[in-house]
DNA sequence: TACGATAGAGAACGATCGTTCTCATGGCAA
DNA sequence: TTGCCATGAGAACGATCGTTCTCTATCGTA
């Protein structure tokens, strides 16, 4: 028998991939069991319900996103460079073959507030991203208002790329961010 | 017995409200029947399946959105003014008590490509909005690239307002659009 | 080796949903 | 009035799903 921690990881990882690719409601717990190789009994010992599993999956996505953003912006040495690097990070993400839009937006749109833990996690994720951008904007010497605008560009790029199925929204949003930065810092 | 056309209207209208408020998968056909006051037999005579009803609902949303945008921008007499009026239209929409995000983004995120007619309608809706903005940008004398940026701002405002549950993203996106317009038309 | 606890496989259960079917009702033609 | 057809209300059906339960095999221990 495998470790509880490992089983948990496998279940969350398998559920994440399935939920992201097909949607939460389209994936049954039995599909998660098959993909994770962990019995239903075990899954329900680790998570009290599917809702709890969904919340855990989104929590993991949140950590992955934060780590990805941190890694993607680490190379830039100015705040302005870090802000633009966010859009480069999006660009690379949009080009991944299994890109399917923002998991948080998808989950929020799908569950429509029917799962409070999901709503909370999605809100917190978006708010923390906005705080991250706000810190960078402040560091760059830009005004408060600029941060929200940059964040809106990033959100819009994600939904545009997801629905269109093409990655060019990242570069378009990046160019817009450059114009906004130049105008604010002039 | 009521007219086929009227019955159809009632069903689409009732389904639209329910789907938008609770999500497509969370609403059963029986709830549509109750809200529309049209028997299941009749509903299935008008629409071959729930998927077809969903497609019809989105098609109606598309017409409503286009009419709303046209009405909202009719007051402005310059192309630049019409572009900014789009964000005023969004602002008013975000403040409606039952605002729940963009129905197209929600449906796309929820059905995840499982319903081809939905995917097609959503893509077409977003593409036609982009064409509308592109026409205005061209009329204003702006470059091709600006249109995509404005559209991304509008998309981002919708998801940001939906998830945050507050309307200020419209004004923030409008301010960003002004900066982009000023920079492009200078 | 014998025993007891445990975990996995999968059946079972109850609920929900999309879709179809039944049957009683009501209006219309003769 | 009488017979018939269409209609609506809602039961029924088959499928799916979240969750739990049963049974059997396995493993550690004495």
């Amino acid at each position: 028998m495998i470790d509880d921690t490992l089983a948990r990881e496998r279940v969350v990882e398998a559920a994440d991939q399935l939920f992201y690719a097909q949607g939460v409601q389209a994936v049954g717990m039995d599909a998660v069991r098959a993909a994770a190789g962990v019995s239903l009994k075990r899954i329900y010992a680790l998570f009290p319900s599917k809702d709890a599993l969904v919340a855990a999956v989104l929590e993991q996505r949140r950590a992955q996103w934060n780590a990805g953003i941190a890694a993607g912006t680490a190379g830039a040495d100015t705040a302005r460079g870090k802000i633009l690097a966010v859009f480069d990070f999006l660009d690379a993400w949009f080009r991944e073959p299994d890109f399917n839009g923002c998991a948080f937006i998808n989950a929020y749109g799908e569950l429509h507030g029917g799962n409070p833990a999901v709503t909370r996690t999605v809100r917190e994720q978006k708010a923390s991203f906005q705080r991250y951008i706000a810190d960078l904007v402040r560091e760059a010497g830009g005004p408060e208002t600029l941060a929200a605008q940059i964040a809106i560009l990033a959100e819009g790029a994600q939904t545009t790329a997801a629905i269109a199925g093409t990655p060019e929204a990242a570069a378009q949003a990046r160019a817009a961010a450059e114009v906004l930065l130049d105008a604010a810092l002039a």
Side-chain angles (χ1 to χ4, degrees), chain A residues 156-174:
Chain A
Q158 288 173 64
T159 60
T160 300
I163 289 178
T166 58
E168 69 262 8
Q172 292 162 345
R174 187 191 201 275

Side-chain angles (χ1 to χ4, degrees), chain A residues 18 23 60 83 123 161 172:
Chain A
L18 290 169
Q60 187 207 236
I83 291 171
R123 285 224 169 103
Q172 292 162 345

